[in-house]
Amino acid sequence: MAQIQWFPGHMAKARKQVQEKIKQVDLVLEVVDARTPESSRNPMLDELVADKPRIMVLNKQDLADPALTAAWVQYYQDQGFAAIAIDAQHAKRLQQIPQLATKLMAEKIARKKARGIRNPMIKAMCIGIPNVGKSTVLNRLVRRNIAVTGNKPGVTKNQQGLKASDNFQLLDTPGILWPKFASQAIGMRLAFTGAIADAVFQEDMVGLYGLTYFMAHYPAALKKAYHVTDDDLNEAPHDLLVKLTKSQGFAEAYDRMAERLIFDARQGKLGRFTLEKPGETDADAE
């Protein structure tokens, strides 16, 4: 099976930019996709961010399994991070981010006020891999369409300073992927949810991954969307993909059915789902 890899030149440049600017900020907002919280984290960022206070922002909670989202928030809190689940597209719970930032920076703010600074500015860097909704988070926080957005990876190209309030400033950064995924499962999750450009993977491979996962964890969604039966769910995933290809009117174009399943999932037509659980290894998930 071909490995999914994606690290164009602008990713390396973006990494260097983060490294240069991290010393200028007080804390980091790490935006992840609530459907793939751990897989949508860049392991290189731990090294770049070092010991800066961090808020884990689980975006797209409206598309994710609510029970698993709550479990992931608790997981990150147990890891020592502040954590919040939001729906940036509809601005739900977004204003709790500045409140969390103020709480994290309470001691530093108090020291600055003691030195006579009346309204100390909190500077935060917003980081995340492509297409987790990072720019939408920023736009909603500053209440203007300043950060460039788009439903495809790699839209943000340069760092931008954005003022959210009199005492909260945000630094946007380009989305950064990493040279090689630790496992094929991570690549599959990111491809299925749209963090990787569609041109670099095979639809039938990723669609089959998604179908297999839904058969095991969200069978009711398949029943509702494609009229799958209990007997169908006992078949091998490839056999079910063949059956769906025909029943959905794609003749023998398996790649088109796989593409349909991928986009149905991304658009919420298969309901809310999460592709990984806290503490679960890729071997456990298979």
Side-chain angles (χ1 to χ4, degrees):
M1 185 179 290
Q3 290 287 322
I4 297 174
Q5 296 188 39
W6 175 242
F7 197 71
H10 75 265
M11 296 289 182
K13 180 182 177 182
R15 176 182 175 175
K16 185 178 180 182
Q17 288 176 339
V18 171
Q19 208 161 16
E20 291 172 350
K21 298 290 186 181
I22 191 68
K23 295 177 182 178
Q24 300 176 17
V25 301
D26 300 303
L27 60 87
V28 169
L29 307 181
E30 183 177 353
V31 183
V32 298
D33 189 323
R35 298 167 297 178
T36 55
E38 197 65 13
S39 290
S40 59
R41 296 186 69 196
N42 186 335
M44 292 193 308
L45 293 176
D46 282 334
E47 178 187 345
L48 296 176
V49 170
D51 57 353
K52 293 285 182 182
R54 196 178 325 187
I55 300 175
M56 297 299 301
V57 181
L58 283 72
N59 191 28
K60 305 188 182 184
Q61 70 159 6
D62 57 313
L63 300 175
D65 183 321
L68 286 176
T69 298
W72 277 109
V73 168
Q74 185 62 55
Y75 172 82
Y76 289 125
Q77 290 173 343
D78 292 343
Q79 299 295 311
F81 302 125
I84 184 172
I86 66 166
D87 168 14
Q89 193 67 39
H90 302 99
K92 290 183 179 177
R93 303 191 69 204
L94 211 58
Q95 292 310 314
Q96 290 184 30
I97 292 176
Q99 296 169 14
L100 274 176
T102 300
K103 185 176 179 181
L104 280 178
M105 291 291 102
E107 291 184 11
K108 189 170 185 177
I109 291 170
R111 288 196 300 269
K112 287 186 175 182
K113 285 184 176 179
R115 296 202 306 268
I117 301 173
R118 282 202 221 169
N119 196 21
M121 177 72 73
I122 299 173
K123 295 182 179 179
M125 177 181 284
C126 194
I127 60 176
I129 70 169
N131 210 30
V132 293
K134 178 171 58 68
S135 293
T136 303
V137 170
L138 288 164
N139 285 335
R140 295 293 186 270
L141 283 172
V142 301
R143 299 180 179 87
R144 285 182 291 167
N145 289 330
I146 297 175
V148 181
T149 64
N151 190 26
K152 60 181 180 179
V155 170
T156 305
K157 290 293 189 287
N158 298 301
Q159 292 180 324
Q160 306 175 60
L162 307 168
K163 195 170 182 180
S165 68
D166 290 340
N167 63 347
F168 192 47
Q169 184 177 15
L170 294 156
L171 182 66
D172 190 12
T173 59
I176 313 173
L177 280 175
W178 52 106
K180 187 176 181 180
F181 302 125
S183 73
Q184 180 70 349
I186 291 174
M188 288 293 184
R189 293 180 194 121
L190 296 180
F192 191 73
T193 52
I196 301 172
D198 293 339
V200 304
F201 63 79
Q202 295 173 293
E203 288 91 347
D204 55 349
M205 182 173 69
V206 175
L208 188 60
Y209 159 79
L211 180 60
T212 303
Y213 196 88
F214 271 76
M215 288 173 73
H217 300 279
Y218 299 103
L222 297 176
K223 290 181 178 180
K224 183 177 180 180
Y226 307 125
H227 307 293
V228 168
T229 67
D230 287 332
D231 288 340
D232 292 333
L233 291 169
N234 289 324
E235 294 192 24
H238 180 270
D239 293 338
L240 180 53
L241 181 62
V242 171
K243 182 175 286 189
L244 287 175
T245 300
K246 295 176 181 177
S247 68
Q248 298 300 309
F250 294 114
E252 295 184 1
Y254 308 126
D255 56 337
R256 289 186 61 197
M257 181 60 220
E259 183 180 42
R260 160 85 178 275
L261 191 143
I262 292 168
F263 284 101
D264 281 353
R266 290 180 188 173
Q267 293 167 8
K269 294 179 181 178
L270 299 184
R272 299 170 70 171
F273 67 91
T274 300
L275 297 176
E276 54 190 351
K277 300 176 182 178
E280 180 182 60
T281 67
D282 288 336
D284 295 332
E286 290 175 356

